[in-house]
Amino acid sequence: MSEKKKFTLEYEVHSSPKILFSFLNEPNGLAQWFADEVKYKEQIYSFQWDGEEHKAKLTNLKENKLVRFKWLDDEPQCYFEMEILQDELTNDVALSITDFAPPEALEERRLIWDNQIQYLISVLGA
């Protein structure tokens, strides 16, 4: 298996950082757009897609700013991060996604994020 490559995507989101943040770190918020079901216990999030469970540890959290998760069964250097960026002049809000994928799966992973973020934006009504 080839080594995973880091990539970053950025999406404009018409939402306040505080509201957006609740959809990034709260299990019921994440379950509305990211996974079919989300459970949380002792810094470990259990994400379910199509009945299959994947666990990730919350490794970094900055209130209304950033969440970083580390998949428990992934390579040590790999994580996925969702960071809220707000322009100081215009107050425009963007969501920056950092993730890792093998080179041959980069385009597919980007499309998955594109679809998920579009769904998040529709859930937010933004």
Side-chain angles (χ1 to χ4, degrees), residues 71-102:
W71 294 113
L72 297 184
D73 60 356
D74 205 352
E75 299 169 18
Q77 77 278 12
C78 296
Y79 59 88
F80 74 98
E81 180 177 272
M82 298 178 278
E83 181 178 11
I84 299 169
L85 308 171
Q86 188 166 24
D87 186 287
E88 290 184 23
L89 293 175
T90 64
N91 278 335
D92 288 346
V93 174
L95 181 60
S96 174
I97 304 293
T98 301
D99 198 0
F100 291 78

Side-chain angles (χ1 to χ4, degrees), residues 23-97:
F23 283 87
L24 306 182
N25 80 311
E26 294 176 8
N28 61 342
L30 285 161
Q32 290 186 51
W33 69 277
F34 185 70
D36 299 335
E37 186 178 339
V38 181
K39 296 178 185 165
Y40 173 79
K41 185 176 181 182
E42 298 172 6
Q43 300 296 93
I44 303 294
Y45 285 73
S46 297
F47 299 100
Q48 276 198 5
W49 290 276
D50 299 324
E52 193 174 310
E53 184 177 69
H54 299 275
K55 293 185 179 210
K57 180 177 176 115
L58 179 66
T59 60
N60 196 351
L61 181 138
K62 293 179 184 165
E63 191 72 26
N64 298 327
K65 185 83 177 134
L66 173 140
V67 290
R68 180 184 287 189
F69 296 94
K70 163 84 179 79
W71 294 113
L72 297 184
D73 60 356
D74 205 352
E75 299 169 18
Q77 77 278 12
C78 296
Y79 59 88
F80 74 98
E81 180 177 272
M82 298 178 278
E83 181 178 11
I84 299 169
L85 308 171
Q86 188 166 24
D87 186 287
E88 290 184 23
L89 293 175
T90 64
N91 278 335
D92 288 346
V93 174
L95 181 60
S96 174
I97 304 293

